[in-house]
Amino acid sequence: MRRVKRSPRLRDVLLTAAVNAVNAPPTTFFYGGQAVIEGVLMRGRRHYAVAARKPDGAITVFSEALKSRVYTSSFWSKPFLRGVAGLIEMIHLGMRALQWSAGVQLGEDAQISPALMRLTMGISVIFGLGLFIGAPLGISALLHRAPVRSITGVAIEGVVRGLILVGYLLIIGQVGSVRRLFHYHGAEHKAINCLESGDPIDVEHVRPASRLHPRCGTGFIVVVAFVSIVVFAPLGLLPTAVRILCQIALVPVVAAISYEAIRLLARKRHTAIGRVLLGPVLATQLLSTREPDDSQIEVAIAALNAARSGETVVGELVAVP
């Protein structure tokens, strides 16, 4: 009797991610970044750099060493813990870079106060929790009319969470300033893809690189939506209030598992199963990235070169005028 080969289940994929993460070489380092106002943030091994286009057209670069133990301690570089560290890093460095890039556009005399940034951050966190935890829970309750909570409701909630993400990206992508942010997001991806392919880091070689990348933050959220179905499933029978609190408390766990899963997918991107599983991750990035022009690519290159300054060279360093 022929045995039918089954597709790997999500649980098996996550287990494989855990095994590969534990066995991964400790020297492996992945460059990453974010788009900011008229600029790009890049994170290197020992410091990060932000480059932005000033109103007069010149590129200005800010670089700072990574001093916090979250960035430098080997403890936080271990599998699963590095996912939690990555979440903290994304928020902390992202807000610092955003504040700096806003100052570049407004001028030195119009710097945004740290208190205002913290307030903005708090509002953003509350909005995010409401949109991606509260809203899916409410919509799931309306769609799944059962006398008690169930695992089916959790699955519906996960699907709704993914649909909300797509709708959110479609809506904010219509705003002019956000569209420009998405252009710089595309430039960031192109620069890192060029670096990882081993090509020289200049406009000519970065321009044809893909604007999609498997380790993108947008794709990370897509993986989070799927992982949350598995992690939150045991909470399906809990009272709603308790369940919401548990989901918030488990956000670091979901982030840690998702981080390892997306690292595995990035390494398996050239295999058949890797391409299939990466499909939704890359497809969503079509909504959060745009094709950048050469001036935006120059900014991404400036940030990447500054983040790599003094580190092991992969490809050719080119000064950006």
Side-chain angles (χ1 to χ4, degrees), residues 80 84 227 231 249-258:
F80 297 102
V84 179
V227 172
V231 175
L250 287 173
V251 166
V253 176
V254 173
I257 297 174
S258 301

Side-chain angles (χ1 to χ4, degrees), residues 208-231:
S210 174
R211 77 177 205 255
L212 310 180
H213 195 282
R215 295 194 311 274
C216 171
T218 307
F220 175 76
I221 298 176
V222 173
V223 176
V224 164
F226 285 104
V227 172
S228 65
I229 296 176
V230 178
V231 175

Side-chain angles (χ1 to χ4, degrees), residues 34 41 48 64-68 70-71 85-99 117 121:
Q34 298 179 42
L41 156 72
Y48 73 97
E64 189 174 54
L66 297 168
K67 300 176 181 178
S68 171
V70 174
Y71 308 125
L87 182 62
I88 297 172
E89 174 183 308
M90 180 177 65
I91 296 172
H92 179 245
L93 291 185
M95 292 304 293
R96 287 178 64 85
L98 186 62
Q99 182 179 7
M117 290 299 293
M121 175 71 179

Side-chain angles (χ1 to χ4, degrees), residues 35 38 169-186 287-292 296:
E38 293 299 323
L169 292 174
L170 283 171
I171 292 172
I172 65 171
Q174 305 308 309
V175 180
S177 59
V178 176
R179 276 202 304 272
R180 284 198 63 79
L181 197 71
F182 287 173
H183 282 287
Y184 280 103
H185 190 192
L287 303 177
S288 65
T289 63
R290 299 288 188 274
E291 283 292 336
Q296 292 162 333

